[in-house]
Structure formats: structure tokens, C-alpha cells
Amino acid sequence: MAYVFNGLTGRVAVGLLSASLFAGAVAQDTDQFAKRLIELRSEVETLNQELDLLKQEHRSEMQALAQQRAELEANRNRVDTQIKQLQQQRDEYLAEAAEAGVDNENLMPVLLVAVEELRDHIAESLPFKRDERLAELDEIKVQLETNVIPANRGANRLWAFYEDELRLTRENGLYSQTIDLGGERLLADVAKLGTIMMFFRTQDDRYGEVVAQGGAWQFQVVDDEDQIRAIEGLFDSLQKQIRQGYFVLPNAIAGRIQGGP
């Protein structure tokens, strides 16, 4: 009977030991599960915070885009008004020229007034190849005043000049021109978007935008990396002949110049 009793005692001891080990393993698993649950909750809270931040950034971006769109619409309306004014002026001068006939003496004053009004328009508009445009206009004026060309031929040249100015409001593209950057005259590439916006790239790879400040147009270098990449993307697209589409650009809206149109 002692042997049987000892055997039972052994089995009971083994059973208790097994139960103890099982309870320890369960407790350890529970601790690990609790720790993992805490980690997961922390990760969820972090993700929720990041999601809220992204939502806020998205709202801010959409508000900024809506504001940009409103500004672009306003400036497009301004350019449309300029186009209508140019067309109206052209039609008025043509009507005056028709009434005056082809008489050089009567037509000359009308043409000279048209030249001066075009000069004012160029001086106030986006500084795209301004020197070249003014030089061409001055050449017409000198030729009229010195009778190198008769008034009727001068009228034809002014007509063509008006059409060139109207075409500038519709065209997007890449060009080269001399710009004034901080008092220094530099040859640069420019990306012109109608007569609303213009960006530039110098030969030493500085990027910038054209802005209206203090009643005058200024060429300003851009330092922000995101804005630089945006302008680089615009130049790359225009070089690939991609002239229409969606572009994210610095908010260099061609604002109204003080005292301008």
C-alpha cells in the first residue's frame, strides 16, 4: 500500500507542477497580450492623429487652391477686359481712318495717338520682351514722323501690332529674354502663361517669378524648394510641348499694378 500511496503522491505532485507551469505560461501570455494590446492602441492613436493632420492639410490645400482659382478667374476677367479694350481701340482707329480717307495729313495724328496708347499698355502689362515690343513701336512712330512710310502703311503695321498684342494674351510658351534681377541685366529663359503669369530660369539655374510690387513689375528669385520644383516642372512640360493641363505653381498671380489698367 505504501508503494501505491507513493505513486499517487508522485502523480499528484506532477499534476500540481503541470498546473503551475500552465498557469505561469497563461500569465506570461496574458502579460504579452496586454503589452501588445497597449502597443496597438498607441499605434491606432498615432495613426488617428496622423489622419487628422492629413485631413487638416487637405482642407488647407483645398482652401488655398480655391483662393488661387478665384484669383486666376479675376485676373482672366481682367485680361479679357484688356483684350476688349484693345479691340475697341483698334476698331475706333480704323473707323477714324476710314472717315479720314487715305489722306496722310488727316490720318497721321490718329496713328500717333494709337502709338502712345500702345506704349502705355506695354509699360503696364507683364514685362514680356518689353524692350523689343517698345522698340518695334518706336520704329513705327519714327517712320511715320519722318514720312519713311505713308500713313496707310503705318496703319497696316499698327493693325498687325495690335494683333500680336492680342495673341500674347492667349499663348503659353518658353522664350529667352533679358531680365533685370537685382539691378543686374541677365539673359534668362522665361515661361509665359498668357499675360497673367511669368516665371524665369537663369543660366546658373536660379528660378523665380514675376510679381507686381509698388506699381512696378519685379523679377524675384524663389528660395522655397517646393516652389522651385513646381517651376522646374512647368519648364519641363513646356519644353515637351505640353501647353495645357494641371500645374501646381507658386501663387505668382499677376496682380493689378497701382495706376495700371
Side-chain angles (χ1 to χ4, degrees), residues 94-151:
L94 289 174
E96 291 181 28
E99 292 177 3
V102 295
D103 183 80
N104 190 74
E105 184 177 350
N106 292 327
L107 185 56
M108 185 67 69
V110 177
L111 297 179
L112 293 178
V113 170
V115 168
E116 291 305 316
E117 292 190 353
L118 277 172
R119 283 188 62 85
D120 293 339
H121 163 73
I122 294 172
E124 294 169 353
S125 64
L126 201 69
F128 171 71
K129 294 186 176 294
R130 179 180 290 165
D131 293 342
E132 292 90 332
R133 291 155 68 196
L134 288 175
E136 182 180 353
L137 203 55
D138 288 340
E139 180 184 0
I140 296 174
K141 180 180 179 181
V142 170
Q143 289 180 347
L144 286 170
E145 291 177 334
T146 58
N147 294 318
V148 173
I149 57 175

Side-chain angles (χ1 to χ4, degrees), residues 21 30 51 64 73 89 92 98 103 160 181:
L21 292 174
T30 301
L51 181 60
E73 288 287 344
Q89 288 175 359
E92 288 174 356
D103 183 80
L181 190 60

